[in-house]
């Protein structure tokens, strides 16, 4: 066991440093995202969703660094990565709207002037009524209009269409299903 540790001493030290940096950066980014969420009065569920996205990004970055620390053969790694990227490219091309909705959800978190409980009108023929925002998920905006109809609207379309703020912080039922 001592021989194994001595032989891979540099890689083990690099791994420990990488894991420590990962933990510190995750902690700092989580704290920063929570602070932004609190300052902008953003719903806690949305804040947790963005934290999850950032954590996945940190993990992918740390995994990439560990590949270099352990000295993986680049020719073999290139073959594997090109195959993986080819498959991902086809899969992501087929599901481009999913990625655009997730990206729009992150953009909406950091720079969107509307919150859960606000009454809005989307300048779109297909959504003629005003509605109250009841939830904002990774892919969709959930709203309810005055007729009690639940409307689900994709995040990426919300960035593309004009939105009029009618009233801030309309009071919702306990379960968020209707307007008081």
């Amino acid at each position: 066991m001592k021989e194994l540790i001595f032989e891979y001493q540099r890689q083990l030290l690099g791994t420990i440093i990488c894991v420590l940096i990962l933990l510190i950066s995750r902690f700092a980014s989580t704290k920063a995202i929570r602070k932004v969420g609190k300052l902008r009065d953003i719903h806690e569920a949305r804040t947790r969703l963005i934290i999850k996205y950032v954590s996945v990004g940190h993990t992918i970055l740390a995994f990439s660094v560990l590949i270099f620390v352990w000295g993986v053969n680049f020719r073999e790694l290139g073959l594997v990565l090109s195959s993986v990227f080819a498959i991902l490219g086809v899969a992501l091309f087929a599901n481009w709207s999913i990625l655009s909705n997730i990206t729009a959800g992150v953009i909406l978190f950091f720079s969107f002037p509307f919150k859960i409980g606000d009454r809005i009108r989307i300048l779109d023929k297909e959504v003629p009524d005003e509605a109250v925002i009841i939830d904002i998920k990774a892919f969709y905006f959930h709203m309810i209009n005055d007729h009690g109809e639940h409307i689900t609207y994709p995040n990426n379309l919300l960035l593309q269409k004009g939105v009029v703020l009618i009233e801030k912080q309309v009071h919702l039922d306990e379960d968020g299903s209707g307007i008081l």
Side-chain angles (χ1 to χ4, degrees), residues 107-168:
I107 292 169
L108 292 174
F109 177 80
F110 286 108
S111 65
F112 204 60
F114 310 116
K115 298 180 177 89
I116 294 173
D118 289 353
R119 178 180 293 279
I120 63 170
R121 183 176 69 242
I122 300 171
L123 301 178
D124 187 358
K125 302 185 276 194
E126 293 153 6
V127 186
D129 297 332
E130 296 175 4
V132 175
I133 302 168
I134 57 173
D135 201 3
I136 304 170
K137 298 286 187 183
F139 303 109
Y140 297 103
F141 233 69
H142 296 276
M143 302 175 287
I144 188 168
N145 65 11
D146 294 334
H147 307 294
E149 300 170 328
H150 288 267
I151 302 167
T152 303
Y153 201 76
N155 287 340
N156 63 347
L157 290 181
L158 201 64
L159 288 178
Q160 296 172 13
K161 304 289 181 177
V163 179
V164 178
L165 175 64
I166 306 298
E167 183 181 353
K168 291 195 91 41

Side-chain angles (χ1 to χ4, degrees), residues 78-96:
L79 178 64
V80 169
L81 287 179
S82 65
S83 300
V84 167
F85 284 134
I87 293 169
L88 281 175
V90 170
L92 294 179
F93 179 74
N95 292 318
W96 69 270

